[in-house]
């Protein structure tokens, strides 16, 4: 019979494997449509096939990976139209979560936002997918909604953030285009801490929509180039 320690170790291996594979999918290391071979991933991560299989099952629930009957797992495909739908739904979900967080948040929630903002500000972003910056960026946005009081909303916010980041990485667009994203984060933070739900929601949605508009253009251009190459 497996001991509780063995069970904890198994869960830890699955969790670590899940995180590694998720980051490889989001960063674009595993491109859309790529077949995810369990044995190859297990060797690369120096783990057994079981935690890989479990991690891929969790990722399929998040929409980043697709389970194909009798054919294993593949990275989910992307499309410009799907991204547009994702952006619209994400804005609806995050606005609701942010308004609830502003209504229900306490001093500890405010402190969490301030700490997350400081850590993000302290990092100099480098490269197309700077893992440290990406982690702090996600922590900042998740901190804003942390006090919403709904585990479902938080799960959706987490899932949509990852899906959006995958599109951004694949499009190879940081969404800057002359913008000062740091100032946008500052303005959102100030409005949230002032408990101005209308202003905070507007600034957050504008922040997402600016990036979304740039990503849509980049994705359309990418698909057009890909189609031209196929027809050449």
């Amino acid at each position: 019979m497996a001991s509780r320690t063995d069970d904890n170790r198994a869960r830890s291996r699955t969790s670590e494997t899940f995180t590694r594979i998720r980051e490889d999918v989001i960063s674009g290391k595993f491109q859309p449509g790529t077949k995810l071979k369990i044995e190859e991933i297990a060797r690369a991560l120096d783990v057994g096939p079981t935690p890989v299989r479990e991690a891929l099952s969790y990722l399929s629930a998040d929409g980043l990976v697709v389970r194909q009957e009798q054919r294993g797992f593949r990275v989910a495909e992307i499309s410009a139209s799907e991204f547009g739908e994702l952006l619209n739904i994400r804005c609806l979900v995050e606005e609701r979560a942010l308004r609830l967080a502003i209504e229900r948040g306490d001093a500890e929630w405010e402190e969490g936002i301030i700490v997350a903002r400081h850590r993000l500000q302290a990092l100099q972003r480098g490269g197309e997918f700077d893992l440290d910056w990406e982690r702090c960026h996600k922590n900042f946005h998740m901190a804003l909604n942390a006090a919403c009081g709904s585990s479902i909303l938080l799960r959706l916010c987490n899932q949509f953030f990852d899906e959006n980041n995958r599109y951004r990485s694949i499009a190879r667009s940081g969404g800057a285009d002359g913008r000062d994203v740091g100032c946008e984060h500052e303005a959102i933070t100030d409005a949230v801490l002032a408990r101005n739900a209308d202003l905070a929601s507007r600034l957050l949605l504008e922040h997402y929509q600016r990036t979304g508009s740039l990503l849509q253009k980049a994705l359309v251009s990418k698909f057009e180039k890909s189609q031209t190459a196929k027809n050449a």
Side-chain angles (χ1 to χ4, degrees), residues 161-180:
F161 190 96
D162 286 347
E163 290 192 46
N164 182 84
N165 257 17
R166 184 168 81 104
Y167 273 91
R168 180 162 58 81
S169 176
I170 292 169
R172 290 294 183 261
S173 170
D177 194 30
R179 291 162 55 196
D180 190 334

Side-chain angles (χ1 to χ4, degrees), residues 18 29 58-59 108 119 127 132-133 141 153 159 161 196 199 209 218-219 221:
F18 169 84
K29 180 178 178 179
Y58 294 146
L59 286 166
E108 184 177 354
R119 289 175 176 167
D132 289 336
W133 189 89
H141 278 284
L153 281 175
Q159 178 180 339
F161 190 96
N196 188 333
L199 177 59
Q209 288 161 353
L219 287 167
S221 176

Side-chain angles (χ1 to χ4, degrees), residues 222-232:
K222 188 179 183 70
F223 287 132
E224 287 177 348
K225 289 179 181 177
S226 175
Q227 192 61 43
T228 299
K230 287 180 181 178
N231 294 335

Side-chain angles (χ1 to χ4, degrees), residues 62 89-90 92-94 96-97 100 104 142 145-161:
D62 285 347
I89 296 173
R90 182 190 187 194
L92 290 172
V93 169
E94 291 231 11
R96 177 59 176 163
L100 285 174
R104 299 171 177 177
M142 295 302 102
N145 302 324
C148 72
S150 168
S151 60
I152 295 175
L153 281 175
L154 290 175
R155 174 166 53 81
L156 290 174
C157 289
N158 181 77
Q159 178 180 339
F160 291 152
F161 190 96

Side-chain angles (χ1 to χ4, degrees), residues 206-219:
E206 287 176 354
H207 176 67
Y208 287 155
Q209 288 161 353
R210 286 191 191 104
T211 300
S213 178
L214 293 171
L215 287 184
Q216 282 278 21
K217 292 176 183 177
L219 287 167

Side-chain angles (χ1 to χ4, degrees), residues 189-205:
T189 301
D190 291 343
V192 169
L193 295 179
R195 306 287 178 143
N196 188 333
D198 290 338
L199 177 59
S201 297
R202 178 173 64 79
L203 292 173
L204 181 69
L205 297 190

Side-chain angles (χ1 to χ4, degrees), residues 2-22 41-42 44-56 58-59:
S3 68
R4 181 174 298 178
T5 300
D6 291 336
D7 288 341
N8 290 339
R9 286 174 179 167
R11 282 194 293 270
S12 178
R13 281 194 297 272
T14 298
S15 178
E16 291 170 2
T17 303
F18 169 84
T19 299
R20 292 282 300 279
I21 299 174
R22 183 188 64 191
I41 295 173
L45 299 183
D46 194 25
V47 296
T50 298
V52 173
R53 189 175 293 106
E54 291 176 347
L56 291 174
Y58 294 146
L59 286 166

